[in-house]
Each structure stands twice: as C-alpha cells, then as structure tokens.
Amino acid sequence: MSNTARRIALLLFLIVALLAVAPAALAVVDAVAQSDVPAIPAPAPAETEITPSWTYRFLIPTLLVIAVLAVVLTVVQYFVGVVGKRYRVVR
C-alpha cells in the first residue's frame, strides 16, 4: 500500500470511530446540561464529632517525648564522655 492509501484508510477509521463514540458523548453532555433534580432529596448527614484514636492521643506524644529524651541524653553523654575527658584541669 502506498502512503496515500494508508492515510485514507486511517482517516476513514477515525471518522467511523468518531461517529460511534459521538452519541454516547452527546448523551452525557445532555444529561449534565439538563441538571436533573432528584425526586426525593436526601437529607444531609448529621455531622459527628470525630474523636482521635488512642494511637494518636497517647502513642504519638509518648514516642515524641522518648525521642526528645534520647537526643538530650545522647548530647549530655557525648559532652560528659568525650569532651570531658579531652580537657583536664592542670594543677
């Protein structure tokens, strides 16, 4: 097949595909344009107060406190163990 024949076949295929899809697309656009209102409006759900789970209330703050204590104790241990032995008072 030559390039022209391939282009014509591709063009015909695209036209047929477009004609096959067009009615469904137009139906969706028409339904949205009409903005159908439901026969019985559903009431809005009542707002309930969301309580955080126990992991959020207790576990996360506990882990944060433990992490801060670990960092502070590591810094103190470093200065006492390493820096403290490095410098001595000469008598």
Side-chain angles (χ1 to χ4, degrees):
M1 287 178 88
S2 67
N3 281 340
T4 307
R6 287 182 185 164
R7 288 182 184 169
I8 291 174
L10 180 63
L11 184 62
L12 288 175
F13 176 75
L14 288 175
I15 290 173
V16 169
L18 180 65
L19 290 175
V21 174
L26 291 176
V28 170
V29 170
D30 188 38
V32 171
Q34 289 179 359
S35 67
D36 294 334
V37 178
I40 301 174
E47 293 186 21
T48 57
E49 185 177 333
I50 299 173
T51 58
S53 62
W54 71 272
T55 55
Y56 186 76
R57 292 179 62 205
F58 300 109
L59 190 60
I60 293 174
T62 303
L63 291 175
L64 288 174
V65 168
I66 290 172
V68 168
L69 284 175
V71 169
V72 169
L73 290 176
T74 302
V75 169
V76 169
Q77 181 184 4
Y78 172 77
F79 280 107
V80 169
V82 176
V83 177
K85 291 181 182 177
R86 189 180 302 164
Y87 304 104
R88 295 186 184 206
V89 177
V90 178
R91 297 183 192 206

